[in-house]
Amino acid sequence: MNRKTLVLPAVLGLLAPVLVACGGSGGGSGGDAIVVGTTDQFAATEDASAPFDPAYAYDTGVWNVLRQTVQTLMHVPRGGGSPVPEAASQCGFTDRASERYRCTLRDGLTFADGSPITAKDVKFSLERALTIKSDNGAAGLLSNIDTIETKGDDEVVFHLKSPDATFPYKLSTPVAGILSSEKYDAKKLRDGFEVDGSGPYTMKAEVSGDRVTGVVFTRNERYKGDIKPRNEKVELRSFDDAGAMGKALESGDIDMMTRTMSPEQIEDLTENPKPGIKITEVPGLEIRYLGFNTEAPSVKDKAVRQAMAAVVDRGRLAGTVYGTTATPLYSLIPSSIAAHTNSFLNKYGEPDSKKAASILRGAGITAPVKLTLHYTSDHYGAGTAKEFAALRDQLNATKLFDVTIEGTKWSEFRPAQKRGEYVVYGLGWFPDFPDPDNYVAPFLDADNFLNTPYVNSATRSRLLPESRRAADRNAAASAFEQIQDIVATDVPVLPLWQGKQYVAARDDLTGVEWALNTSSDLQLWELARGIA
């Protein structure tokens, strides 16, 4: 997910792609389509019957499908930075308070089936997401919209409830995708795997049972927008694990692989280049963290959460499991984003079981505290199971905790987490946009991604609104510093590490360095064969 009105200098410095290793020539999957591998799994379940509906989808893997097919008014350009018009010809705030935002649509804009797109379609699409208000959290990105006004067929004006300098970024996310009222119901989600839009590609899902095995993207000849596709067809092929995906790349069955390569694969491809394959490090802003159901009896007292924060050894965790691909994180906001502070390190210092024991004693809590840490076994890669085994061992070694771990497939994990069934759980976050707001609001604001019972009135009612009034995002730093300190004190979430991201591809594929942006959004239109 991605947005921001003014680009953060700390982020801009990240945007130069780095070639890590190169192999020889040859290989490739052949045929017309460029084939891209992923370990993302797409399934329709009782809890998620409409995984590809923009009003429901709030997951990087699914967004990577929607970004190719559903057009938005704005989009983030290939190297990052401020959003630029996409379905719109121009957009901008019409007041100094950042409360009224106007967009004019491009001339001759149509859906892939040839039917015209008007301002009423934009209004329908965003109001639909707000009306449905899926419990998956995506509608929260649009919740500051008060009313949407249309003027003629090509002009739409958004009236916001309060100032929001990040609003252009929110209009670049799939939840703001433009849909047809002929294909989508205004009040309910669209079941299954069909997607209709006006993006650079049309799509066809290859389905086995209730699971997608691949998606074929074909260039949309009616597309009008800012993106210039460099290919005619791309296939996104889903693999059960990184090992199977890696073998497919080496054999030439696929041309590129990204999410999610294992740390071992990255290390091997970097240190032992394979003929015909190159690995590219691209800027990444992923974080991992533990979340808490703060109403659950075993962690309701924040002293338990604080004690965990005082003993978790992030450096050892990241280094042992992920090597050089991850670094310790002491705040929800990663160190590469402006306004970051090491709030957890400042409050708790280096891992200290004596300090943790003192925190528990001070709250009258008898050790060991019995907990189960839940994680998703198939969503973030093979390293997750090792990571949670290491966390369990660290916590149990203090004798202050009695921890077990339990892994569950994502299709079951995420619904259970939203229902509050897990006391402690592990999640990752790939930003919707590279702004500090998007590392705190999805966890702390109303209608948040976690569906957490935790509420801090200072954060929600004062600091977040205050930060959004700042058109100069550097001026919002003080509010974000206060929010990070509040999180370190209350520990509704416990940041663990931030990661790098890599792409491995056959060496006859060009545009690889642009195929994944800082938010892990696939930009398949950048890929081509031969000379760049």
Side-chain angles (χ1 to χ4, degrees):
M1 318 137 184
N2 328 84
R3 354 157 186 144
K4 233 219 102 323
T5 316
L6 297 176
V7 184
L8 302 173
V11 173
L12 286 176
L14 291 172
L15 298 179
V18 180
L19 287 182
V20 180
C22 294
S25 60
S29 66
D32 294 332
I34 293 170
V35 185
V36 175
T38 180
T39 59
D40 285 318
Q41 304 293 312
F42 312 113
T45 67
E46 185 177 346
D47 291 299
S49 61
F52 285 169
D53 191 315
Y56 175 84
Y58 202 18
D59 165 72
T60 299
V62 177
W63 273 22
N64 282 338
V65 172
L66 293 177
R67 287 188 186 279
Q68 322 306 315
T69 52
V70 177
Q71 202 172 12
T72 49
L73 289 170
M74 305 287 283
H75 85 118
V76 177
R78 59 148 54 171
S82 300
V84 297
E86 216 286 82
S89 60
Q90 60 181 6
C91 287
F93 284 107
T94 60
D95 65 333
R96 291 187 177 184
S98 299
E99 288 184 309
R100 189 169 61 250
Y101 197 77
R102 181 174 62 198
C103 291
T104 303
L105 296 180
R106 292 180 184 269
D107 291 336
L109 203 65
T110 71
F111 290 107
D113 65 3
S115 57
I117 295 175
T118 70
K120 290 182 179 178
D121 293 302
V122 177
K123 177 181 170 71
F124 163 80
S125 303
L126 275 70
E127 288 183 343
R128 174 179 182 269
L130 289 167
T131 297
I132 292 173
K133 198 177 180 180
S134 160
D135 67 357
N136 213 27
L141 294 170
L142 306 177
S143 61
N144 195 34
I145 295 174
D146 186 16
T147 59
I148 303 175
E149 176 187 5
T150 61
K151 296 183 177 181
D153 287 339
D154 65 349
E155 188 173 311
V156 57
V157 181
F158 300 94
H159 300 273
L160 307 183
K161 298 173 185 175
S162 59
D164 186 0
T166 72
F167 189 66
Y169 273 94
K170 294 170 180 174
L171 289 181
S172 75
T173 60
V175 70
I178 304 171
L179 308 175
S180 168
S181 59
E182 298 297 317
K183 302 288 180 68
Y184 289 83
D185 191 294
K187 296 183 179 180
K188 68 178 183 179
L189 296 172
R190 183 179 185 178
D191 291 346
F193 301 108
E194 286 186 275
V195 179
D196 289 283
S198 57
Y201 297 96
T202 59
M203 66 148 290
K204 182 178 181 180
E206 298 173 345
V207 180
S208 176
D210 61 358
R211 180 173 173 266
V212 172
T213 57
V215 181
V216 177
F217 299 101
T218 303
R219 186 168 179 167
N220 175 14
E221 297 300 332
R222 291 190 171 97
Y223 169 73
K224 290 186 178 181
D226 184 62
I227 294 167
K228 296 176 174 58
R230 300 179 61 233
N231 57 68
E232 295 297 322
K233 184 179 290 187
V234 181
E235 178 187 346
L236 186 65
R237 190 175 299 172
S238 184
F239 290 86
D240 289 335
D241 54 60
M245 181 170 64
K247 289 178 181 177
L249 181 66
E250 290 189 31
S251 69
D253 288 340
I254 64 174
D255 299 288
M256 187 180 91
M257 64 178 183
T258 57
R259 289 170 44 91
T260 301
M261 297 168 63
S262 71
E264 294 80 9
Q265 281 179 321
I266 295 167
E267 181 180 4
D268 183 46
L269 287 170
T270 302
E271 297 181 357
N272 306 295
K274 302 290 190 295
I277 295 174
K278 64 181 180 182
I279 182 166
T280 303
E281 179 186 340
V282 293
L285 297 171
E286 171 193 8
I287 69 169
R288 297 285 178 88
Y289 60 94
L290 291 179
F292 299 90
N293 177 354
T294 54
E295 289 299 311
S298 57
V299 298
K300 187 170 186 177
D301 192 320
K302 68 181 178 183
V304 175
R305 310 192 300 268
Q306 290 174 332
M308 291 178 69
V311 296
V312 169
D313 190 334
R314 296 167 176 81
R316 185 153 58 95
L317 180 69
T320 301
V321 179
Y322 296 102
T324 60
T325 68
T327 56
L329 180 62
Y330 298 95
S331 167
L332 277 175
I333 301 173
S335 60
S336 43
I337 292 284
H340 163 85
T341 61
N342 284 319
S343 296
F344 276 82
L345 184 62
N346 295 340
K347 184 170 182 63
Y348 301 102
E350 296 297 330
D352 187 341
S353 57
K354 291 182 179 178
K355 178 179 288 187
S358 177
I359 292 171
L360 292 176
R361 280 197 306 272
I365 295 170
T366 302
V369 178
K370 192 170 184 176
L371 298 171
T372 298
L373 308 188
H374 292 266
Y375 66 92
T376 170
S377 58
D378 63 344
H379 195 63
Y380 300 118
T384 310
K386 298 177 183 177
E387 175 185 351
F388 274 75
L391 274 171
R392 175 198 61 204
D393 294 346
Q394 283 189 19
L395 292 167
N396 287 346
T398 67
K399 307 298 184 184
L400 301 173
F401 298 93
D402 179 5
V403 171
T404 57
I405 59 175
E406 184 175 324
T408 308
K409 288 185 177 296
W410 179 254
S411 59
E412 301 172 20
F413 174 91
R414 175 66 172 138
Q417 179 269 313
K418 287 187 294 183
R419 290 193 296 265
E421 294 179 12
Y422 300 150
V423 176
V424 190
Y425 51 87
L427 280 170
W429 184 251
F430 300 85
D432 303 330
F433 51 94
D435 184 281
D437 181 274
N438 197 240
Y439 285 96
V440 293
F443 312 113
L444 307 175
D445 209 354
D447 302 319
N448 60 74
F449 167 75
L450 296 180
N451 198 27
T452 177
Y454 171 80
V455 176
N456 181 277
S457 58
T459 294
R460 188 172 292 185
S461 302
R462 179 173 61 84
L463 294 171
L464 278 173
E466 177 185 314
S467 72
R468 290 168 179 157
R469 283 194 289 270
D472 177 357
R473 301 306 288 154
N474 292 316
S478 175
F480 287 120
E481 288 169 7
Q482 292 178 66
I483 292 171
Q484 289 169 90
D485 287 345
I486 289 170
V487 171
T489 297
D490 291 353
V491 201
V493 293
L494 177 56
L496 297 173
W497 56 267
Q498 66 182 86
K500 303 175 184 178
Q501 58 182 2
Y502 296 83
V503 177
R506 307 297 306 186
D507 62 4
D508 66 342
L509 199 64
T510 63
V512 172
E513 66 271 31
W514 303 113
L516 206 65
N517 69 12
T518 56
S519 298
S520 295
D521 301 328
L522 271 177
Q523 302 176 138
L524 297 177
W525 51 84
E526 297 285 356
L527 299 175
R529 298 189 195 278
I531 299 172

